[in-house]
């Protein structure tokens, strides 16, 4: 397990203890302290557990680079990760390793997540959940335009991570870094989510997802446009392509003509058939549902927030 930390003292102990309490006890916990200015390092060093290794970085290098260092230092073939303020269910690692054992072709597996938010009186209470698709075919379809994995919940094969090129650290081209990596890992094997809430995701005001919402949205649209272009064979500068990537992510756009809506739907259908060609009824229904959403959102630009973050 790789746990990157930057000024995470408030919740770090609870996060670490959720990992140390896993039912599967044979693992290593690599904590990468990204030059924290609070008491994070002292908290990490206070634990007398032979499974813990602490990497203390002299200068702050950011999440993606810190993750790369931690994963490179890992000695296990399967690497899981968690954020400094999230909590793993005791069954999490056991479930994920069992999934890899059952399917040698699996390269990336996440889990569903319970979301908690802080109320006005300071208590943390359940406020929702992340329940992304589970099966490989629907995950590939969703990966065309958005990220169907809770980053803090994932585990992956370390050799595939290296083969895919690791987390990108370019602040423009690789943001958001998790979506960018999953797109590069997807051609190398199968994908899955475990349909159980094996992670508690702490949604904090001013956290990364909140503070950088516009930047994340723009990065998602950029990656989605490139994915859709490659899968459909359409040139990346095609205006219908950008419009399609935006409406799939509920990003407001200018209203368009029925002909433009038809072109967007056609691009989506071509791309979807390329990445998820199966004819299963559930997959055909998912495609049809999203084609309908494309038409509705294209004709009604009042559709508002980034979809399923």
């Amino acid at each position: 397990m790789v746990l990157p930390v930057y000024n995470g003292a408030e919740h770090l102990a609870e996060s670490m203890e959720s990992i140390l309490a896993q039912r599967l006890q044979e693992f290593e916990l690599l904590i990468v302290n990204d030059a924290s200015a609070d008491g994070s390092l002292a908290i990490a060093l206070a634990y007398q557990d032979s499974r813990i290794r602490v990497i203390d970085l002299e200068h702050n290098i950011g999440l993606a680079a810190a993750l790369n260092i931690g994963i490179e230092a890992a000695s296990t073939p399967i690497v899981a990760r968690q954020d400094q303020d999230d909590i793993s269910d005791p069954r999490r690692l056991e479930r994920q390793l069992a999934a890899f054992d059952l399917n040698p072709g699996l390269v990336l597996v996440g889990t569903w997540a319970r979301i908690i938010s802080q109320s006005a009186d300071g208590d943390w209470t359940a406020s929702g959940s992340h329940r992304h698709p589970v099966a490989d075919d629907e995950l590939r379809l969703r990966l065309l335009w958005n990220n169907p994995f809770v980053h803090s919940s994932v585990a992956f094969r370390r050799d595939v991570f290296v083969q895919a090129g690791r987390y990108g650290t370019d602040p423009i081209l690789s943001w958001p870094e998790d979506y960018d990596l999953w797109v590069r890992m997807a051609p190398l094997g199968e994908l899955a989510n475990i349909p159980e809430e094996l992670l508690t995701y702490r949604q904090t005001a001013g956290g990364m997802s909140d503070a950088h919402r516009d930047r994340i949205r723009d990065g998602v649209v950029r990656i989605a446009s490139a994915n859709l272009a490659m899968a459909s064979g359409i040139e990346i500068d095609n205006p219908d392509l950008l419009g399609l990537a935006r409406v799939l992510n509920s990003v407001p756009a200018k209203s368009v003509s029925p002909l433009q809506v038809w072109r967007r739907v056609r691009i989506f259908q071509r791309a979807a058939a390329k990445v998820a060609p199966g004819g299963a009824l559930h997959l055909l229904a998912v495609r049809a549902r999203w084609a309908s959403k494309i038409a509705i959102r294209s004709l009604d630009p009042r559709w508002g927030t980034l979809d399923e973050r």
Side-chain angles (χ1 to χ4, degrees):
M1 176 77 77
V2 174
L3 181 65
V5 179
Y6 177 64
N7 292 344
E10 183 177 5
H11 302 293
L12 180 57
E14 185 179 13
S15 182
M16 290 178 61
E17 286 164 14
S18 77
I19 298 169
L20 296 173
Q22 291 293 298
R23 290 204 314 206
L24 187 150
Q25 287 286 296
E26 294 183 10
F27 62 86
E28 63 178 356
L29 173 55
L30 276 163
I31 298 174
V32 184
N33 178 48
D34 193 12
S36 296
D38 63 358
S40 296
L41 179 61
I43 292 170
L45 292 173
Y47 283 80
Q48 301 299 310
D49 191 309
S50 61
R51 294 171 296 177
I52 298 174
R53 280 200 285 154
V54 178
I55 299 173
D56 185 27
L57 303 181
E58 186 175 349
H59 303 291
N60 179 261
I61 60 175
L63 176 62
L67 280 169
N68 285 340
I69 287 175
I71 296 165
E72 290 288 347
S75 61
T76 55
I78 304 296
V79 177
R81 71 160 307 269
Q82 181 176 300
D83 287 335
Q84 64 192 21
D85 54 357
D86 294 340
I87 304 164
S88 283
D89 182 282
R91 303 164 296 166
R92 177 189 163 185
L93 291 182
E94 183 179 67
R95 292 278 203 274
Q96 289 182 301
L97 286 178
F100 285 111
D101 288 341
L102 281 171
N103 184 358
L106 187 64
V107 298
L108 170 66
V109 57
T111 79
W112 286 353
R114 170 176 173 259
I115 302 171
I116 58 173
S117 300
Q118 195 167 25
S119 59
D121 59 7
D123 291 335
W124 290 91
T125 57
S127 58
S129 62
H130 286 299
R131 294 193 167 197
H132 292 304
V134 173
D136 179 77
D137 54 5
E138 193 173 346
L139 284 167
R140 290 181 187 280
L141 180 62
R142 188 66 63 87
L143 203 59
L144 264 177
W145 70 87
N146 209 309
N147 180 6
F149 294 94
V150 178
H151 193 190
S152 189
S153 81
V154 299
F156 44 75
R157 297 193 188 274
R158 186 176 177 276
D159 60 342
V160 174
F161 166 82
V162 172
Q163 186 180 350
R166 304 168 177 81
Y167 284 100
T169 56
D170 186 300
I172 297 175
L173 297 180
S174 299
W175 186 282
E177 72 287 328
D178 52 341
Y179 184 25
D180 171 69
L181 177 60
W182 313 153
V183 167
R184 289 183 279 116
M185 290 181 72
L188 303 177
E190 295 182 41
L191 316 171
N193 270 319
I194 296 172
E196 297 178 82
E197 293 178 3
L198 298 176
L199 181 86
T200 297
Y201 174 86
R202 198 182 302 271
Q203 188 166 279
T204 56
M208 184 173 290
S209 295
D210 186 40
H212 300 288
R213 182 167 296 275
D214 289 346
R215 186 180 171 197
I216 291 172
R217 178 202 65 195
D218 292 345
V220 167
V221 169
R222 174 184 52 76
I223 295 171
S225 296
N227 291 344
L228 290 160
M230 182 175 295
S232 66
I234 301 295
E235 294 295 326
I236 189 68
D237 58 356
N238 185 306
D240 289 319
L241 197 67
L242 178 59
L244 174 59
R246 291 176 68 86
V247 298
L248 280 166
N249 285 291
S250 302
V251 180
K254 295 179 181 178
S255 58
V256 295
S257 69
L259 177 60
Q260 288 172 301
V261 174
W262 179 83
R263 290 202 299 256
R264 288 179 179 181
V265 171
R266 288 292 297 150
I267 293 171
F268 171 78
Q269 290 173 334
R270 287 173 60 179
K274 178 72 172 179
V275 300
L281 287 177
H282 83 278
L283 189 58
L284 295 175
V286 170
R287 288 186 198 165
R289 185 168 71 247
W290 279 99
S292 176
K293 287 184 179 183
I294 291 164
I296 292 170
R297 295 176 185 181
S298 294
L299 293 170
D300 183 4
R302 292 173 298 176
W303 250 88
T305 58
L306 185 62
D307 189 62
E308 295 191 25
R309 290 303 303 160

